[in-house]
Amino acid sequence: MTQFVIRRVLLLIPFLFVISLVAFLIIQLPPGDFVDTYIRNLEMQGGSVNQAQIDALRARYGLDQPLIAQYWIWMSHLLQGDFGNSFLYDKPVSAVLAERIPRTILLALVLMLVTWIIAVPVGIYSALRKYSIGDHIATFLSFVGVAVPPFLLALVSMYLIFDNTGFLITGLYSPEFRNAPWSMAKMLDLMKNTWLPVAVLAVTGAAGTIRVLRSSLLDELKKLYVTTARSKGLPEHRVILKYPVRIAINPLVSTIGWMLPAMVGGEVVVSKVLNLPTTGPVLLELILAQDMYLTGAIVLILSGLTIVGTLLSDVLLAAIDPRIRY
């Protein structure tokens, strides 16, 4: 297992290099560049620029260089810990990432935890009580959760809360706490404003997870090793939790690799609706503005989360299921 982990960690370097190259090329695919977008927005506002100013802007951001030179400049600075400057925000990429990435990762981790807390017990209950009233209710709610878009659920929930309480959930903090120093009151205000996006995304995420766990557990309950364990007189809860649940939960563990980046990227619309300062809305703005340095940095981080999550899921699968170790 140690050799496997070391080998996978060493493979991160070429993987990230290839990902960075692909991400850079994808960013360059749309016609034009950041300067073209900047000029177009300026002209829509009634302003104008001459050719000398356009050339100066391109030289300032290195956009007058060939693509290979632009990529080399970006990667050479990246290897030195310098992510470059954001065209759109006109400040270092690291400063923008320091504001957004921790909030996004924290939200994704809390979301994953809440999703599993909801999905695992409900999925186990639904499988053990197949075709019962509780199973039918869980199945119906799962289908609703899969079918309803998260942003629509967020909009409806936000409207109902405001209509009944007068409290508008938007942003991470209420206006009086946004620039206030950190305190217990500010932390409580943060929890008051973030429970809705966590609940919306957790409910929609748990819906599919419940279906997967229920299906996997039903398949395991039919196998002979479960009958053998029961024939030996083991308590029912031990028979279920120690054997079939450990195997049925494998599909959930294996999805950690794409669950983290999916949650980081999947909350774009919900974050726009609820005005959350996370990475998703920023990434959308950056792609539209063709801010290559900041977009590339975020794509690399999402790719790194995918690789690290895949490694973590492989290690957890080996720890949970002895057959995989064998």
Side-chain angles (χ1 to χ4, degrees):
M1 180 59 70
T2 303
Q3 294 179 354
F4 169 75
V5 173
I6 293 174
R7 186 166 61 249
R8 289 291 298 272
V9 171
L10 292 177
L11 285 174
L12 291 179
I13 299 174
F15 275 154
L16 288 176
F17 171 75
V18 173
I19 290 170
S20 68
L21 181 60
V22 173
F24 183 83
L25 293 177
I26 291 175
I27 295 169
Q28 299 296 331
L29 284 179
D33 51 32
F34 170 76
V35 173
D36 295 326
T37 304
Y38 174 79
I39 294 172
R40 184 167 59 251
N41 293 336
L42 189 64
E43 290 175 347
M44 291 177 61
Q45 297 173 5
S48 62
V49 291
N50 54 42
Q51 188 60 41
Q53 292 173 318
I54 295 175
D55 295 339
L57 283 172
R58 295 190 185 278
R60 175 186 176 187
Y61 294 117
L63 299 177
D64 57 342
Q65 302 290 330
L67 288 180
I68 296 178
Q70 293 182 37
Y71 174 76
W72 175 251
I73 293 172
W74 177 51
M75 280 301 298
S76 60
H77 290 169
L78 192 64
L79 293 175
Q80 300 174 15
D82 181 12
F83 288 89
N85 288 327
S86 169
F87 303 157
L88 185 62
Y89 291 91
D90 196 22
K91 59 182 179 179
V93 169
S94 56
V96 180
L97 294 179
E99 295 175 358
R100 302 275 179 159
I101 291 295
R103 299 169 181 168
T104 305
I105 293 179
L106 180 61
L107 180 62
L109 292 175
V110 172
L111 178 58
M112 182 183 297
L113 179 62
V114 175
T115 300
W116 279 44
I117 289 175
I118 296 173
V120 172
V122 175
I124 294 174
Y125 174 84
S126 185
L128 296 179
R129 301 290 187 271
K130 184 175 66 171
Y131 303 140
S132 65
I133 296 178
D135 179 33
H136 287 306
I137 293 174
T139 300
F140 173 76
L141 293 178
S142 298
F143 286 141
V144 172
V146 172
V148 177
F151 77 91
L152 179 61
L153 184 59
L155 276 173
V156 173
S157 301
M158 185 169 60
Y159 170 77
L160 291 176
I161 293 172
F162 178 76
D163 187 56
N164 289 278
T165 66
F167 176 66
L168 180 62
I169 298 180
T170 178
L172 292 178
Y173 304 101
S174 301
E176 62 271 18
F177 287 101
R178 285 173 187 168
N179 298 318
W182 190 253
S183 63
M184 182 59 68
K186 187 172 183 178
M187 185 178 72
L188 293 176
D189 184 73
L190 174 64
M191 296 174 63
K192 184 175 67 174
N193 283 275
T194 55
W195 73 266
L196 179 59
V198 170
V200 168
L201 292 171
V203 167
T204 54
T209 306
I210 290 171
R211 305 304 304 162
V212 171
L213 181 58
R214 179 185 183 275
S215 176
S216 300
L217 187 54
L218 284 175
D219 289 338
E220 294 300 322
L221 290 174
K222 300 174 183 177
K223 295 184 178 179
L224 291 177
Y225 72 86
V226 178
T227 304
T228 303
R230 284 173 175 156
S231 67
K232 291 182 177 181
L234 293 177
E236 185 66 13
H237 71 276
R238 188 177 179 185
V239 171
I240 298 300
L241 296 178
K242 187 175 181 179
Y243 300 107
V245 168
R246 286 179 61 183
I247 298 174
I249 208 172
N250 284 355
L252 276 64
V253 176
S254 64
T255 60
I256 293 177
W258 57 262
M259 187 179 292
L260 278 173
M263 288 180 176
V264 171
E267 46 82 39
V268 176
V269 181
V270 174
S271 294
K272 290 291 287 185
V273 169
L274 298 177
N275 193 29
L276 299 179
T278 53
T279 305
V282 172
L283 183 59
L284 179 61
E285 294 176 3
L286 297 176
I287 293 173
L288 293 176
Q290 293 184 257
D291 190 340
M292 49 180 275
Y293 290 124
L294 188 49
T295 304
I298 294 178
V299 170
L300 277 179
I301 290 173
L302 294 179
S303 304
L305 285 175
T306 304
I307 297 173
V308 171
T310 303
L311 174 61
L312 180 61
S313 65
D314 290 343
V315 173
L316 289 176
L317 282 173
I320 293 173
D321 194 341
R323 300 174 304 171
I324 295 176
R325 291 199 300 271
Y326 179 76

